[in-house]
Amino acid sequence: MNLEEIKKSAIEAIESATIKEALNEIKTHYLGRNGLLTGELKSLKEMTMEMRRDAGPKIQELYAEIEKKIEAKLQLFSGSSRKTDYTAPGKKFQYGHIHPLSQVMEDSAKIFRGLNFSVISGPELEAEYYNFDALNIPANHPAREMWDTFWIKGEGKNSKSNYLLRTHTSPVQVRYMEKNSAPFQIVVPGRVFRYEAVDMSHEVNFYQLEGLMVGENVTLANFKYVVEQFLKEFFATMDKKIEFRFRPSYFPFVEPGVEVDIKLKGKWLEIMGAGMVHRRVFEAVHYNPDEVQGFAFGVGVDRLAMIKYGVPDIRLFYSGDLRFLKQFKSS
Ligand code: FA5
């Protein structure tokens, strides 16, 4: 092999090496004690002075060039003692997926959009005024006990500057009506907080979807239609027909008030509170209760998800357990 050939084959070998070990082998092959170039260097001894003067620097130059190229490439592999084969197929990237509760909120919002509702949001850190007072739940009223509250430290001067973690999405009704006039129909998906004991159907942190439709002639019959449409569409993928019932109930911000239950494995599970907006709420937002009327509802998103996916315990949604969450991958 002449020098040109050695150079060509050495460079090709270096360029195609993909692991550190291959480079070390190349180094031995060309520059090692019995290497090709080392052999060339040794052969100088047998040459005449004149030939040596010509060939010597060329061999040394090539020796240095190859050494430099090997070192440069070795640098690329430094830092990892693992044998890395850069030609091996890559590891499959694990894509995450949407959390079942987010999915249920998105699905629900989509159904309501289809029913001509707008999707609105409101703050999780809420003023006492919006969470309670404006919803006809004055301070010291026993109805406040319906919602065990996480209060924020620091006394505000009044209920507008006294803060809490909202116990329901209903305060957004007031916030929306303060800024917009009827007629309208909105839904408000969001996170709510309650200072209560956790069990299989109660969490301290959960999600609700509020609905509010106000106009001149909106009635409870309209609510019944909307809720039926929603439940039918939401549970359309379930093989069994879902059964639900309306039950009279009490919430200070509606009159009359109802609760909606869904039958699950022979048992009724409460999924939402609802009713016709109370005139005091309209008065708080300076609407004329003799000119408008409407319905409101607040549905438990976690409960909807539990029913749809057959999840027996609400705590599973917040467990962060991948064995649980991965089951919702294609949903
Ligand atoms: C309310 O929060 C009212 N704001 C609902 C409402 C809105 C009534 C508009 C009238 C008009 P309630 O506390 O019942 O009501 O909660 C509503 C739904 O949230 C319940 O039906 C249930 O599905 C769900 N829910 C309540 N507490 C919890 C909890 N701790 N964990 C999970 N879901 C809950």
Side-chain angles (χ1 to χ4, degrees):
M1 249 194 214
N2 64 30
L3 282 187
E4 270 313 302
E5 283 167 347
I6 293 176
K7 182 176 176 176
K8 204 171 152 230
S9 72
I11 289 175
E12 266 175 20
I14 294 167
E15 278 172 1
S16 58
T18 52
I19 52 172
K20 207 164 142 186
E21 285 66 26
L23 283 168
N24 287 332
E25 269 175 36
I26 295 167
K27 199 170 176 179
T28 315
H29 184 67
Y30 291 93
L31 314 177
R33 203 143 35 101
N34 299 312
L36 278 179
L37 267 183
T38 325
E40 293 291 324
L41 278 173
K42 279 181 190 158
S43 69
L44 284 172
K45 270 190 248 153
E46 286 127 45
M47 291 180 190
T48 62
M49 230 352 208
E50 217 167 305
M51 282 169 81
R52 214 185 293 169
R53 210 175 281 148
D54 179 49
K58 281 189 186 151
I59 300 170
Q60 268 158 357
E61 208 176 287
L62 183 57
Y63 191 99
E65 188 184 342
I66 293 175
E67 193 170 36
K68 205 171 142 196
K69 281 207 152 67
I70 292 175
E71 290 307 321
K73 191 134 184 194
L74 276 172
Q75 281 288 311
L76 292 178
F77 301 142
S78 69
S80 85
S81 54
R82 276 184 305 131
K83 286 188 190 174
T84 310
D85 180 353
Y86 289 89
T87 61
K91 267 194 195 148
K92 226 177 162 192
F93 189 77
Q94 291 270 324
Y95 284 98
H97 61 91
I98 200 158
H99 191 279
L101 292 178
S102 308
Q103 187 69 54
V104 165
M105 281 202 282
E106 270 183 28
D107 292 349
S108 306
K110 198 171 160 203
I111 297 171
F112 280 108
R113 271 198 203 97
L115 291 166
N116 213 17
F117 279 68
S118 308
V119 182
I120 305 296
S121 66
E124 289 172 6
L125 180 64
E126 186 54 283
E128 178 185 5
Y129 172 78
Y130 289 104
N131 198 85
F132 290 129
D133 302 50
L135 290 169
N136 192 29
I137 321 168
N140 305 321
H141 191 283
R144 283 215 180 178
E145 281 171 22
M146 290 170 75
W147 294 277
D148 298 302
T149 311
F150 285 111
W151 291 93
I152 301 301
K153 261 195 184 162
E155 299 266 301
K157 278 193 214 75
N158 53 48
S159 71
K160 278 196 171 165
S161 53
N162 219 3
Y163 282 88
L164 47 79
L165 293 178
R166 67 175 176 192
T167 59
H168 48 180
T169 40
S170 300
V172 190
Q173 290 186 26
V174 182
R175 285 186 176 273
Y176 187 82
M177 287 193 283
E178 275 184 345
K179 295 215 167 76
N180 300 275
S181 46
F184 65 83
Q185 52 265 27
I186 57 165
V187 285
V188 188
R191 188 181 187 187
V192 300
F193 309 84
R194 300 228 181 137
Y195 183 49
E196 63 180 79
V198 171
D199 64 28
M200 61 191 288
S201 52
H202 294 85
E203 257 295 351
V204 279
N205 160 147
F206 60 101
Y207 291 84
Q208 285 189 339
L209 184 124
E210 190 83 9
L212 179 66
M213 179 170 182
V214 179
E216 238 177 272
N217 297 309
V218 180
T219 67
L220 207 55
N222 297 126
F223 168 67
K224 196 158 176 272
Y225 174 79
V226 166
V227 91
E228 264 182 40
Q229 281 308 111
F230 168 69
L231 294 177
K232 259 189 215 154
E233 214 170 312
F234 183 79
F235 292 112
T237 51
M238 282 177 69
D239 36 355
K240 268 193 291 166
K241 230 184 116 214
I242 59 124
E243 248 186 277
F244 60 93
R245 71 176 182 194
F246 286 56
R247 190 162 43 79
S249 187
Y250 170 74
F251 297 95
F253 35 94
V254 289
E255 179 58 36
V258 295
E259 260 169 341
V260 182
D261 301 333
I262 284 194
K263 202 172 200 173
L264 190 64
K265 290 196 179 125
K267 273 203 217 146
W268 291 103
L269 181 70
E270 173 203 319
I271 58 155
M272 73 170 84
M276 294 302 288
V277 179
H278 199 288
R279 50 190 301 130
R280 293 249 175 84
V281 178
F282 284 141
E283 281 161 8
V285 297
H286 308 297
Y287 277 22
N288 183 346
D290 296 323
E291 283 172 8
V292 290
Q293 56 186 43
F295 65 76
F297 62 89
V299 60
V301 171
D302 307 64
R303 301 270 174 95
L304 288 177
M306 286 169 79
I307 297 168
K308 187 164 183 173
Y309 301 120
V311 175
D313 195 316
I314 190 171
R315 289 166 287 198
L316 285 165
F317 289 121
Y318 303 92
S319 64
D321 189 334
L322 288 177
R323 290 171 306 176
F324 171 72
L325 293 173
K326 277 183 175 167
Q327 298 177 61
F328 297 90
K329 197 148 187 161
S330 57
S331 66

